[in-house]
Amino acid sequence: MTTMKPETLAIHAGYRKDPATNAVAVPIYQTTSYEFDSTGHAERLFSLQELGNIYTRIMNPTTAVFEERMAALEGGAAALAVSSGQAASALAILNIARAGDNVVSSTDLYGGTWNMFANTLKAMGIEVRFVDPADPEAFRRATDDQTRAYYAETLPNPKLIAFPIKEVAAIGDELGVPLIMDNTAAPVMCRPIDHGAHIVVYSTTKYVGGHGTSIGGIIIDSGRFDWEKHADRFPMLNQPDPSYHGAVWTEAVKPLGPIAYILKARVTLQRDLGASVSPFNAFQFIQGLETLPLRMREHCRNAEAVAEHLANHPAVSTVIFPGRMTGEARRRADAVFTDGYGGLVGFELAGGMEAGQRFIDALEMIYHVANIGDTRTLAIHPASTTHQQLTPEEQHAAGVTPGYVRLSVGIEHIDDILADLDQALDAATKGQARAA
Ligand SMILES: *Cc1c(COP(=O)(O)O)cnc(C)c1O
């Protein structure tokens, strides 16, 4: 099954039919709990001698199909679905880092992740060291004995410069530090594990769901990081865990496969913090997944056409799109992406901040929302919205300039997308003429 192509895995991996009813569509198991067959059965489940359903905060049969399908699509060993992308990145780190530890992260991050790292994790005693991904060696220089993870996004906006996954994963392999990749903006077109990443996180709210109906996230464990070899760095996985009657996670999973990291996340963090996805949302993500490879192809195709169109428009001073980049940025994109450069396009209007806002206000079909990865084309002005809570210096480090507009190009017909862009660009430039 795992040798099948993404289009096939997205439809078939992890499920054939419902064992109870033979239903072909994955049923929504909207239940909190599961009856134990006997006291012996319950005992085996709680002691992890046998894996099975106990309580939906920790596992659910609908969610399990989504988890298995995502793990198959990413080439991972196992996955844990959670309630949001934020929960995915928070739990991915809290699973291996505690007060006194540090994480080395790329500066090019989703605004919410930046805030979590700079403030919430800091308040918990976990230091996040931000480094410029322009130089992969910066990750090595920021590493010390307390470093527990590297963190980055495959296709971070607004810069849209692909992350050097292979280079930083290799440094991590050398020093014994796992690389966590947020692949939210590049599903299917990039499989970070193929390039050496050790853990993959997603906001499934975006392309994976695709229809803009549900908030969710997922953590995928490649199963390839050798936690035992680096036992000094990862006491949380290699020393008896007092929260699970002294389980040593790297030992406990031996009969189950290389899933120490993700099993611990499920049975300790998810048990304790309860960032569970509802079975209904997991069902929505399963529906989204079935067309994800198709949709990504169309997002990429439309985005390429939009980037080209904007580049030839007199009102636009700069277009930011991986497929139009040159030099090292282009090399990085070509190293990790297949079949396109993603659905995100950034551009700067010659008229700056005010033209950017006039453009947004003039849009008719395209939605003005703080989201990406929807079937619909979406636009936002980051400086006044998603990146507003950052200081001007932090905004600059994140690549947000005052006149920058971000498009998440949808899968409508390209003619209709371009028509709405053109009329809004017209309005933006006419407004500028009036203002002058
Ligand atoms: C949206 C997003 C998140 C956060 O996901 P939520 O599901 O909104 O919590 C994290 N990373 C990236 C790249 C995102 O776009």
Side-chain angles (χ1 to χ4, degrees):
M1 178 69 89
T2 50
T3 57
M4 286 176 171
K5 305 286 192 240
E7 291 81 353
T8 316
L9 291 173
I11 294 170
H12 291 287
Y15 183 82
R16 179 68 195 177
K17 60 181 178 181
D18 178 46
T21 63
N22 283 12
V24 170
V26 180
I28 304 172
Y29 278 97
Q30 194 73 26
T31 181
T32 56
S33 36
Y34 310 85
E35 193 183 28
F36 305 118
D37 296 335
S38 63
T39 51
H41 178 226
E43 196 177 355
R44 287 194 301 282
L45 292 183
F46 276 93
S47 65
L48 304 176
Q49 284 170 296
E50 187 181 327
L51 292 183
N53 297 316
I54 298 175
Y55 191 58
T56 284
R57 180 168 6 96
I58 308 167
M59 73 285 277
N60 174 278
T62 307
T63 307
V65 174
F66 175 51
E67 292 167 336
E68 209 171 311
R69 201 160 283 181
M70 284 295 290
L73 274 168
E74 291 293 328
L80 172 65
V82 295
S83 56
S84 67
Q86 287 296 107
S89 42
L91 296 194
I93 287 169
L94 294 177
N95 201 36
I96 41 176
R98 56 191 171 194
D101 295 341
N102 68 70
V103 170
V104 180
S105 171
S106 166
T107 45
D108 296 351
L109 292 177
Y110 173 68
T113 308
W114 177 287
N115 271 319
M116 186 217 314
F117 285 4
N119 301 300
T120 302
L121 288 186
K122 186 177 176 191
M124 297 170 81
I126 298 168
E127 178 200 356
V128 178
R129 301 175 173 181
F130 295 101
V131 297
D132 186 346
D135 178 14
E137 286 297 316
F139 281 80
R140 184 195 305 278
R141 289 193 296 274
T143 304
D144 64 18
D145 289 346
Q146 296 306 117
T147 303
R148 299 293 176 257
Y150 295 154
Y151 189 98
E153 293 177 16
T154 306
L155 179 57
N157 74 79
K159 287 182 190 166
L160 300 180
I161 296 177
F163 186 77
I165 303 176
K166 200 166 272 171
E167 290 84 343
V168 176
I171 295 169
D173 282 330
E174 201 183 311
L175 303 183
V177 178
L179 172 62
I180 303 171
M181 287 306 305
D182 177 341
N183 202 46
T184 299
V188 188
M189 50 184 275
C190 175
R191 298 209 315 175
I193 292 170
D194 291 348
H195 303 283
H198 306 96
I199 293 147
V200 179
V201 296
Y202 273 96
S203 166
T204 55
T205 310
K206 314 293 170 53
Y207 290 104
V208 171
H211 302 84
T213 63
S214 311
I215 301 280
I218 197 161
I219 309 170
I220 299 136
D221 183 350
S222 70
R224 291 195 198 152
F225 192 83
D226 192 343
W227 307 101
E228 282 183 288
K229 183 175 169 197
H230 305 288
D232 288 348
R233 213 183 265 285
F234 300 101
M236 293 166 80
L237 286 168
N238 286 286
Q239 287 174 14
D241 186 341
S243 94
Y244 219 97
H245 40 72
V248 175
W249 294 111
T250 47
E251 291 292 332
V253 300
K254 290 253 156 85
L256 306 171
I259 58 168
Y261 172 89
I262 206 74
L263 185 72
K264 174 188 173 290
R266 181 186 299 280
V267 301
T268 68
L269 280 183
Q270 191 70 309
R271 175 199 62 186
D272 298 349
L273 301 179
S276 321
V277 66
S278 81
F280 181 74
N281 281 11
F283 171 84
Q284 294 280 49
F285 296 133
I286 290 167
Q287 307 318 301
L289 269 189
E290 293 195 351
T291 58
L292 179 66
L294 275 180
R295 282 186 286 111
M296 285 313 295
R297 229 174 277 153
E298 199 62 15
H299 281 297
C300 289
R301 210 168 66 129
N302 278 350
E304 193 125 22
V306 164
E308 162 106 33
H309 185 78
L310 290 173
N312 294 319
H313 198 288
V316 174
S317 61
T318 316
V319 174
I320 296 144
F321 182 67
R324 300 189 67 82
M325 291 174 185
T326 55
E328 175 63 7
R330 178 59 176 272
R331 188 198 66 75
R332 287 184 180 184
D334 287 335
V336 295
F337 301 144
T338 50
D339 293 336
Y341 295 96
L344 303 178
V345 177
F347 68 97
E348 190 119 23
L349 282 154
M353 181 85 162
E354 279 179 28
Q357 287 179 319
R358 272 197 303 272
F359 168 81
I360 294 272
D361 286 332
L363 290 170
E364 287 170 0
M365 179 193 80
I366 296 172
Y367 283 88
H368 177 209
V369 298
N371 192 21
I372 61 166
D374 202 303
T375 54
R376 300 152 190 83
T377 298
L378 315 173
I380 198 140
H381 179 238
S384 61
T385 54
T386 52
H387 287 63
Q388 173 210 73
Q389 285 155 52
L390 309 184
T391 66
E393 296 75 47
E394 286 170 339
Q395 280 194 3
H396 185 76
V400 172
T401 49
Y404 184 93
V405 172
R406 181 190 75 201
L407 296 176
S408 173
V409 179
I411 58 172
E412 302 99 335
H413 195 285
I414 187 63
D415 293 352
D416 297 319
I417 298 172
L418 296 182
D420 198 25
L421 290 174
D422 279 348
Q423 66 79 22
L425 286 168
D426 256 16
T429 40
K430 280 200 192 100
Q432 194 185 334
R434 264 203 305 279

Short mmCIF file of all heavy atoms in Angstrom, two decimals, residues 83-87 89 110 113 151 153 155 157 182 184-185 202-206 215-217 371-372, ligand 1:
data_model
loop_
_atom_site.label_atom_id
_atom_site.label_comp_id
_atom_site.label_asym_id
_atom_site.label_seq_id
_atom_site.Cartn_x
_atom_site.Cartn_y
_atom_site.Cartn_z
N SER A 83 -6.16 19.18 17.64
CA SER A 83 -7.28 20.09 17.43
C SER A 83 -6.97 21.29 16.55
O SER A 83 -7.88 21.98 16.13
CB SER A 83 -7.78 20.58 18.78
OG SER A 83 -6.70 21.18 19.49
N SER A 84 -5.70 21.59 16.29
CA SER A 84 -5.33 22.73 15.45
C SER A 84 -3.87 22.61 15.04
O SER A 84 -3.12 21.82 15.63
CB SER A 84 -5.54 24.06 16.19
OG SER A 84 -4.62 24.17 17.26
N GLY A 85 -3.50 23.44 14.08
CA GLY A 85 -2.09 23.49 13.69
C GLY A 85 -1.23 23.99 14.84
O GLY A 85 -0.10 23.53 15.06
N GLN A 86 -1.76 24.95 15.59
CA GLN A 86 -1.02 25.47 16.75
C GLN A 86 -0.76 24.36 17.75
O GLN A 86 0.35 24.25 18.30
CB GLN A 86 -1.81 26.60 17.43
CG GLN A 86 -1.83 27.89 16.64
CD GLN A 86 -0.45 28.50 16.49
OE1 GLN A 86 0.15 28.47 15.42
NE2 GLN A 86 0.10 29.03 17.57
N ALA A 87 -1.78 23.53 18.01
CA ALA A 87 -1.61 22.41 18.94
C ALA A 87 -0.56 21.44 18.41
O ALA A 87 0.25 20.90 19.18
CB ALA A 87 -2.94 21.69 19.17
N SER A 89 2.14 22.07 16.51
CA SER A 89 3.51 22.53 16.70
C SER A 89 3.86 22.61 18.19
O SER A 89 4.98 22.29 18.59
CB SER A 89 3.78 23.85 15.98
OG SER A 89 2.71 24.73 16.12
N TYR A 110 4.97 31.30 10.42
CA TYR A 110 3.58 31.73 10.60
C TYR A 110 3.53 32.61 11.87
O TYR A 110 4.17 32.28 12.88
CB TYR A 110 2.74 30.47 10.75
CG TYR A 110 1.31 30.68 11.11
CD1 TYR A 110 0.42 31.26 10.21
CD2 TYR A 110 0.83 30.27 12.35
CE1 TYR A 110 -0.91 31.43 10.55
CE2 TYR A 110 -0.51 30.44 12.68
CZ TYR A 110 -1.36 31.03 11.78
OH TYR A 110 -2.68 31.19 12.11
N THR A 113 2.81 30.92 15.19
CA THR A 113 3.91 30.09 15.67
C THR A 113 4.98 30.99 16.31
O THR A 113 5.53 30.68 17.36
CB THR A 113 4.52 29.27 14.51
OG1 THR A 113 3.47 28.58 13.85
CG2 THR A 113 5.53 28.27 15.02
N TYR A 151 13.31 23.67 14.07
CA TYR A 151 11.93 23.89 13.61
C TYR A 151 11.93 24.85 12.42
O TYR A 151 12.61 25.88 12.46
CB TYR A 151 11.09 24.48 14.75
CG TYR A 151 9.61 24.52 14.43
CD1 TYR A 151 8.74 23.52 14.88
CD2 TYR A 151 9.07 25.54 13.65
CE1 TYR A 151 7.39 23.54 14.57
CE2 TYR A 151 7.73 25.56 13.33
CZ TYR A 151 6.90 24.57 13.80
OH TYR A 151 5.56 24.59 13.48
N GLU A 153 9.45 25.99 8.52
CA GLU A 153 8.34 25.76 7.58
C GLU A 153 8.90 25.50 6.18
O GLU A 153 9.82 26.19 5.75
CB GLU A 153 7.41 26.98 7.53
CG GLU A 153 6.68 27.21 8.84
CD GLU A 153 5.81 28.46 8.82
OE1 GLU A 153 5.53 29.00 7.74
OE2 GLU A 153 5.41 28.89 9.93
N LEU A 155 7.49 26.04 3.21
CA LEU A 155 7.23 27.17 2.30
C LEU A 155 6.65 28.33 3.11
O LEU A 155 5.44 28.54 3.13
CB LEU A 155 6.25 26.73 1.18
CG LEU A 155 5.84 27.79 0.16
CD1 LEU A 155 7.03 28.39 -0.55
CD2 LEU A 155 4.86 27.19 -0.86
N ASN A 157 5.44 31.89 4.35
CA ASN A 157 5.06 33.16 3.74
C ASN A 157 5.32 34.25 4.78
O ASN A 157 5.28 33.97 5.97
CB ASN A 157 3.61 33.11 3.24
CG ASN A 157 2.58 33.17 4.37
OD1 ASN A 157 2.28 34.25 4.88
ND2 ASN A 157 2.05 32.04 4.78
N ASP A 182 7.10 22.19 9.45
CA ASP A 182 5.70 22.55 9.26
C ASP A 182 5.47 22.58 7.74
O ASP A 182 5.96 23.48 7.05
CB ASP A 182 5.43 23.92 9.89
CG ASP A 182 4.00 24.40 9.67
OD1 ASP A 182 3.31 23.89 8.76
OD2 ASP A 182 3.56 25.32 10.40
N THR A 184 2.51 22.74 6.17
CA THR A 184 1.15 23.20 5.90
C THR A 184 0.94 23.73 4.48
O THR A 184 -0.07 23.45 3.86
CB THR A 184 0.78 24.31 6.91
OG1 THR A 184 0.85 23.76 8.22
CG2 THR A 184 -0.61 24.86 6.67
N ALA A 185 1.91 24.50 3.97
CA ALA A 185 1.72 25.19 2.69
C ALA A 185 2.15 24.35 1.49
O ALA A 185 2.01 24.80 0.35
CB ALA A 185 2.48 26.52 2.69
N TYR A 202 1.41 19.71 10.57
CA TYR A 202 0.50 20.40 9.64
C TYR A 202 -0.56 21.15 10.41
O TYR A 202 -1.06 20.66 11.43
CB TYR A 202 -0.28 19.38 8.79
CG TYR A 202 0.39 18.92 7.54
CD1 TYR A 202 1.10 17.74 7.51
CD2 TYR A 202 0.25 19.65 6.36
CE1 TYR A 202 1.70 17.29 6.35
CE2 TYR A 202 0.83 19.20 5.19
CZ TYR A 202 1.55 18.03 5.18
OH TYR A 202 2.13 17.59 4.02
N SER A 203 -0.95 22.29 9.88
CA SER A 203 -2.27 22.80 10.14
C SER A 203 -3.13 22.20 9.04
O SER A 203 -3.01 22.58 7.86
CB SER A 203 -2.30 24.33 10.06
OG SER A 203 -3.65 24.75 9.98
N THR A 204 -3.99 21.24 9.39
CA THR A 204 -4.84 20.60 8.38
C THR A 204 -6.04 21.48 8.04
O THR A 204 -6.82 21.18 7.14
CB THR A 204 -5.30 19.20 8.85
OG1 THR A 204 -5.94 19.31 10.12
CG2 THR A 204 -4.12 18.27 8.98
N THR A 205 -6.15 22.59 8.80
CA THR A 205 -7.14 23.64 8.54
C THR A 205 -7.03 24.16 7.11
O THR A 205 -8.00 24.64 6.54
CB THR A 205 -6.84 24.81 9.51
OG1 THR A 205 -6.71 24.30 10.83
CG2 THR A 205 -7.90 25.87 9.45
N LYS A 206 -5.85 24.08 6.52
CA LYS A 206 -5.55 24.74 5.26
C LYS A 206 -5.79 23.77 4.09
O LYS A 206 -6.91 23.35 3.89
CB LYS A 206 -4.13 25.29 5.29
CG LYS A 206 -3.78 26.04 6.60
CD LYS A 206 -4.53 27.33 6.79
CE LYS A 206 -4.38 27.93 8.17
NZ LYS A 206 -3.03 28.14 8.64
N ILE A 215 -11.02 23.35 11.79
CA ILE A 215 -9.68 23.62 12.34
C ILE A 215 -9.10 22.29 12.83
O ILE A 215 -9.80 21.52 13.51
CB ILE A 215 -9.78 24.59 13.53
CG1 ILE A 215 -10.42 25.92 13.12
CG2 ILE A 215 -8.40 24.80 14.17
CD1 ILE A 215 -9.53 26.90 12.43
N GLY A 216 -7.86 22.03 12.47
CA GLY A 216 -7.21 20.80 12.93
C GLY A 216 -5.73 20.81 12.62
O GLY A 216 -5.23 21.68 11.90
N GLY A 217 -5.04 19.84 13.18
CA GLY A 217 -3.60 19.72 12.94
C GLY A 217 -3.17 18.27 13.07
O GLY A 217 -3.95 17.41 13.51
N ASN A 371 -6.57 33.38 6.10
CA ASN A 371 -6.49 31.93 5.93
C ASN A 371 -5.76 31.66 4.62
O ASN A 371 -5.64 32.55 3.77
CB ASN A 371 -7.90 31.33 5.90
CG ASN A 371 -7.90 29.81 6.01
OD1 ASN A 371 -6.93 29.21 6.48
ND2 ASN A 371 -8.97 29.18 5.56
N ILE A 372 -5.28 30.44 4.47
CA ILE A 372 -4.71 30.00 3.20
C ILE A 372 -5.25 28.59 2.91
O ILE A 372 -5.83 27.95 3.78
CB ILE A 372 -3.16 29.96 3.22
CG1 ILE A 372 -2.65 28.98 4.28
CG2 ILE A 372 -2.57 31.34 3.42
CD1 ILE A 372 -1.18 28.62 4.15
C1 LIG B 1 -2.49 28.30 9.91
C2 LIG B 1 -1.11 27.85 10.16
C3 LIG B 1 -0.73 27.33 11.42
C4 LIG B 1 -1.70 27.27 12.57
O1 LIG B 1 -2.74 26.41 12.28
P1 LIG B 1 -4.21 26.50 12.97
O2 LIG B 1 -4.88 25.29 12.43
O3 LIG B 1 -4.82 27.78 12.55
O4 LIG B 1 -3.98 26.43 14.45
C5 LIG B 1 0.56 26.90 11.57
N1 LIG B 1 1.46 26.97 10.55
C6 LIG B 1 1.13 27.46 9.35
C7 LIG B 1 2.16 27.50 8.27
C8 LIG B 1 -0.16 27.92 9.11
O5 LIG B 1 -0.48 28.42 7.91
#
